[in-house]
Amino acid sequence: MSGRLWLKMGAAGGIICIGGPALIYYVMPTEEELFKRYNPELQKRSLENRQKKQEDFDNFVGRLKEYSRSNKPIWEAAAEDEARIRATGIEEQRRIADEIQKRRDEIKRHSLNPN
């Protein structure tokens, strides 16, 4: 192969490797440009939800950091945490149901014995 062919291949490879990402960077709009293209209602809704989404993301990252501290894989630690939260929720629902039942019984007792 001649040196000229090697030079052509090198130039073509450089154009593809450098020019492709540069073109994508040039063509892709920024977040601000996308936000400006929204209609006013979507802009308002986006601004209202921004704080909540940021808090949710921060909570998610915090949980991931907590899961990564254990010696278990993250997916196992997350599954255990979800099971713990689910069990706590079930216990809370049972406690609330018991309180409601106690109130109903108390109301029945007072309605039957107005003394």
Side-chain angles (χ1 to χ4, degrees):
M1 291 189 148
S2 67
R4 187 172 176 183
L5 184 59
W6 281 103
L7 185 62
K8 284 182 182 179
M9 289 191 316
I15 289 172
I16 290 171
C17 291
I18 296 170
L23 178 65
I24 290 173
Y25 182 76
Y26 176 74
V27 173
M28 188 180 302
T30 63
E31 289 184 26
E32 293 174 2
E33 291 172 343
L34 286 175
F35 184 76
K36 289 178 184 177
R37 290 183 189 174
Y38 288 173
N39 66 30
E41 181 182 324
L42 284 176
Q43 287 180 355
K44 180 181 174 187
R45 198 176 338 155
S46 177
L47 289 173
E48 290 173 354
N49 293 336
R50 183 174 288 174
Q51 182 66 27
K52 184 179 181 292
K53 287 182 180 181
Q54 184 64 39
E55 289 174 1
D56 289 344
F57 180 75
D58 291 342
N59 290 337
F60 174 72
V61 170
R63 286 194 318 262
L64 282 180
K65 287 180 181 179
E66 181 182 324
Y67 298 156
S68 67
R69 287 186 192 130
S70 73
N71 293 334
K72 299 176 184 175
I74 290 177
W75 56 89
E76 287 181 10
E80 288 177 1
D81 190 44
E82 288 175 4
R84 181 185 55 79
I85 290 171
R86 203 174 300 121
T88 304
I90 291 172
E91 291 173 10
E92 182 70 18
Q93 287 177 352
R94 285 184 185 149
R95 185 185 61 76
I96 291 171
D98 289 343
E99 287 179 11
I100 291 171
Q101 188 61 39
K102 287 178 185 177
R103 288 180 189 165
R104 286 181 182 165
D105 293 343
E106 186 176 327
I107 291 171
K108 282 183 182 178
R109 266 189 276 130
H110 286 306
S111 66
L112 293 176
N113 297 328
N115 298 340

